[in-house]
Amino acid sequence: MSDFHYFSFMTSSAFSNWEKGALWAVLGVAVLGLLYAWFLVGQVLRESKGTPKMIEIANAIHSGANAYLVQQFKAIVFLILILTGILYFTSHESHIALGRACAFLMGACFSAAVGFIGMNLAVQGNVRVANAARTSFGQALKIAYRTGTITGMLTDGLGLLGGTLIFMVYGEKAYEVLLGFGFGGTLLALFMRVGGGIYTKAADVGADLVGKIEKGIPEDDARNAATIADNVGDNVGDCAGMAADIFESYEVTIVSAMILGWASFGHKGVIFPLLVRAIGVIASIIGTYAVRTSDQARNAMKAINVGFMLSAAVSILGFVVLGFYYLRFPDGVAQPFWINLGILGLDMRPVWTTMVGIILAMGVNRLTEYFTETSQPPVQSVAKSATTGHATTIITGIAVGYESTVWAILAIAMAIFASVIIYTGTNPTYVAYGVAMCGIGMLTLTGNNISMDVFGPVADNANGIGEMAKLEPEARKTLADLDAVGNTTKAITKGIAIASAVVAAVSLFNAYITDIGTILKQSYEQVAATLTLADPLVFIGLLIGGAIPFLFSSLTIHAVGRAAGLIVEEVRLQFKDKEIWAGTKTPDYARVVSICTSAAQKELIGPALVAMIAPVIVGYAFGTAGLAGFLGGAILSGQLLAVFMSNAGGAWDNSKKAIEDGLYGGKGSEAHKAAVTGDTVGDPLKDTAGPALNPMIKVMNMVAMLVVPLILAHQANTACRWSVIVGGLVIIVIALGYSKSQGHK
């Protein structure tokens, strides 16, 4: 194409009429996903909100969550506008530069919309779940899950809509513009994940330390001033943060698939991932609507798993049919029978690698459930260790987390290896495309994954409302059961998010190599051959990249500790009021919400700047080879750390739940006190540092792809290189100093 606007795509002979019609159908499916979300909004909001006391509590959570997100968007809007301007200068082609800048803004806005709208529906669904639990387990589950599905379908619909529109406008150059779209979603996810994670765990840890441990009162006791902030945090951390996190993975896998697809299969390699995503949206609609259970069965986890498996089955069937009819190449090279089904010109390899991604998602789902489910041996072992004290609880949880990360990385490695085997005998570009399609397949069921994740905080909030509003014992039992399932679904989706981040980052790494080859007029093989550990620059980059996730995690965990300290002081101060302790006076919930909001906004600056600037410094200091090593080191250590922290925290949390349900003495026992300590330690790991590593890894990969043309252009300009290196180091040192200074105020 010589002209990359919409009309040239529609009139271009490079695309058949069927392909043009199919892309319009993909656009229609994206809209269908958004309409389904709107349909579910109506269903949820028609449900009763319950008693005036329940409504009062829900309104406090709602206003606190909105206040936090509005404050966060105000804090970052200036940076977003600055980066929009900077991105205009990352391409020498004016129409690409303008498109990339606008796509960045659109990606940021879409990511913000997914988080903001999804969170708002979550904080309106929680009270309706609490009320439904008074009469029906099945109805409470249905409302909670469909509330989560709203966010899931917003993620699916907006992600597919943005990618398709950009391709229809820019055709074969779409991947250059999609870099901006992916970066916009990625950056917002980083801010929302880090800020939301700090907020939610500062409130949670502060509430638990004073309420449960010092005062011996129940979780979500209305006298605890941090209770509302804790419930607010569940929404800004898990609903808004996770939605933005998965949204960015959804986009960056499309970016890498388009770059590598064009280099391997031409325009079919670009259109096929979009068609796969459309099938995924339809499958998610079918699977999520099927989630339900009876009041007799009361098996929420089974109902959710049935919906997930149904969506997977529909997706796999759709992929095979699509591949059989679309992946035909007139001059195709005959492949082994098991690859092309014996039909000349039919290449089913993209289908098989996509199915590998779905299998990986189901495998990670099962692995995470095994290590975090209350009835499974790992959590049971942590609960048993609580009977011998606080130290053994911590030791056993750490051991469980370490083991889980080994199996998770083996599952990812086997999936990537399977994708490589499928493309045996081809050039590395095809292999890289296979890995990218594995990532596409893994995120095919995004609607289901987000539904499962948001279900967690909705059930948690509903349980909190039930506690504070003093609902009937049967309703409290229903809400406690849903909350326990929600802990597992949150852990499962964290596992899927981490695995998808790794596969997406590997795909982006391959796209990074392709970009270097395009700029230097070299093949993929030529560039890849230079990236060897025998090169000291690559090894140096590997060491630095491997260290960054540890620095990032240290910053976020320290931030939670400092912010939680402020909450502890405030809650202790309010408990000195005898009327609050007696329950005759309402605590100042807004004060704690304000403290959490302010602390989270201040504390997210350091980690975010490290993620954005570190790859620029390494690239200018050690060249594209050093930057490649840097990205490889960050992907590996980031994945290991993220899974360890997520699953160790999940195991501690659910071991506490198991003891609270009557195991080893139940609430108030010495085992329960040890389990609360484990849960408190695990909170910032599983809900702040671990999940925040996902966007960190992808931000660094996206930044690398955006700056590689500038690195190559300035590699001979010593003055320019050192200016960037010194300037970047100064910014990071100031950011780290600012972050550490927060602990002395």
Side-chain angles (χ1 to χ4, degrees), residues 105-274:
L105 195 58
M106 181 169 70
C109 290
F110 278 12
S111 185
V114 167
F116 192 82
I117 297 172
M119 185 211 69
N120 266 278
L121 265 299
V123 295
Q124 293 187 68
N126 54 17
V127 67
R128 291 166 168 85
V129 173
N131 186 59
R134 303 168 72 189
T135 56
S136 168
F137 183 95
Q139 185 67 6
L141 167 65
K142 187 169 74 172
I143 297 171
Y145 193 80
R146 290 186 179 177
T147 300
T149 303
I150 294 167
T151 309
M153 297 316 300
L154 283 173
T155 305
D156 255 349
L158 289 177
L160 187 59
L161 180 69
T164 306
L165 284 175
I166 290 172
F167 180 73
M168 293 179 76
V169 173
Y170 285 91
E172 66 187 58
K173 289 284 187 177
Y175 75 88
E176 295 191 45
V177 177
L178 276 166
L179 282 175
F181 188 55
F183 186 46
T186 299
L187 193 62
L188 254 291
L190 180 66
F191 285 122
M192 294 175 78
R193 255 308 188 195
V194 175
I198 293 170
Y199 184 111
T200 182
K201 290 304 108 178
D204 194 1
V205 171
D208 285 354
L209 286 177
V210 182
K212 287 184 177 181
I213 294 179
E214 293 184 7
K215 297 295 185 180
I217 60 177
E219 186 171 2
D220 295 313
D221 191 297
R223 294 170 292 175
N224 193 325
T227 297
I228 294 296
D230 185 9
N231 284 284
V232 169
D234 290 332
N235 294 287
V236 299
D238 279 310
C239 296
M242 174 61 90
D245 184 0
I246 295 290
F247 180 84
E248 61 156 336
S249 289
Y250 195 89
E251 288 314 313
V252 298
T253 49
I254 277 287
V255 171
S256 55
M258 282 188 163
I259 293 172
L260 298 164
W262 186 265
S264 52
F265 285 97
H267 66 276
K268 285 194 175 185
V270 177
I271 293 176
F272 182 72
L274 292 173

Side-chain angles (χ1 to χ4, degrees), residues 238-470:
D238 279 310
C239 296
M242 174 61 90
D245 184 0
I246 295 290
F247 180 84
E248 61 156 336
S249 289
Y250 195 89
E251 288 314 313
V252 298
T253 49
I254 277 287
V255 171
S256 55
M258 282 188 163
I259 293 172
L260 298 164
W262 186 265
S264 52
F265 285 97
H267 66 276
K268 285 194 175 185
V270 177
I271 293 176
F272 182 72
L274 292 173
L275 297 175
V276 164
R277 282 280 160 83
I279 292 172
V281 172
I282 294 171
S284 288
I285 290 174
I286 294 171
T288 54
Y289 204 74
V291 173
R292 62 191 68 202
T293 189
S294 66
D295 289 335
Q296 291 72 38
R298 293 176 67 93
N299 196 330
M301 199 68 235
K302 180 180 178 181
I304 292 170
N305 283 333
V306 166
F308 189 89
M309 298 302 290
L310 177 60
S311 292
V314 172
S315 295
I316 290 172
L317 178 62
F319 298 160
V320 172
V321 173
L322 172 64
F324 188 81
Y325 285 100
Y326 182 57
L327 295 177
R328 295 175 180 272
F329 300 86
D331 55 349
V333 179
Q335 301 295 329
F337 178 82
W338 66 278
I339 288 179
N340 69 5
L341 305 181
I343 302 172
L344 184 65
L346 177 63
D347 193 336
M348 294 289 283
R349 290 175 298 184
V351 174
W352 307 144
T353 49
T354 304
M355 288 168 61
V356 168
I358 291 183
I359 295 169
L360 175 60
M362 292 189 291
V364 170
N365 186 316
R366 296 279 77 78
L367 275 174
T368 310
E369 184 176 343
Y370 173 76
F371 281 103
T372 58
E373 170 63 48
T374 54
S375 62
Q376 296 296 335
V379 171
Q380 291 288 313
S381 69
V382 177
K384 185 176 182 180
S385 70
T387 61
T388 54
H390 300 253
T392 50
T393 305
I394 302 300
I395 291 169
T396 308
I398 290 173
V400 166
Y402 279 148
E403 181 186 353
S404 70
T405 200
V406 174
W407 297 111
I409 205 164
L410 285 176
I412 295 169
M414 292 305 297
I416 294 174
F417 183 63
S419 302
V420 172
I421 290 295
I422 289 170
Y423 279 92
T424 297
T426 61
N427 67 54
T429 308
Y430 281 84
V431 175
Y433 181 65
V435 175
M437 289 308 302
C438 176
I440 292 285
M442 187 172 191
L443 289 171
T444 293
L445 306 180
T446 291
N448 300 70
N449 292 332
I450 297 292
S451 301
M452 291 167 65
D453 180 74
V454 177
F455 169 84
V458 169
D460 193 349
N461 271 202
N463 195 24
I465 291 170
E467 173 76 33
M468 297 177 73
K470 295 180 171 55

Side-chain angles (χ1 to χ4, degrees), residues 61 81 83 169 224 236 277 369 402 476 526 605 745:
I61 297 171
L81 293 176
L83 288 174
V169 173
N224 193 325
V236 299
R277 282 280 160 83
E369 184 176 343
Y402 279 148
R476 293 284 295 113
Q526 289 174 311
I605 295 172
K745 293 184 178 180

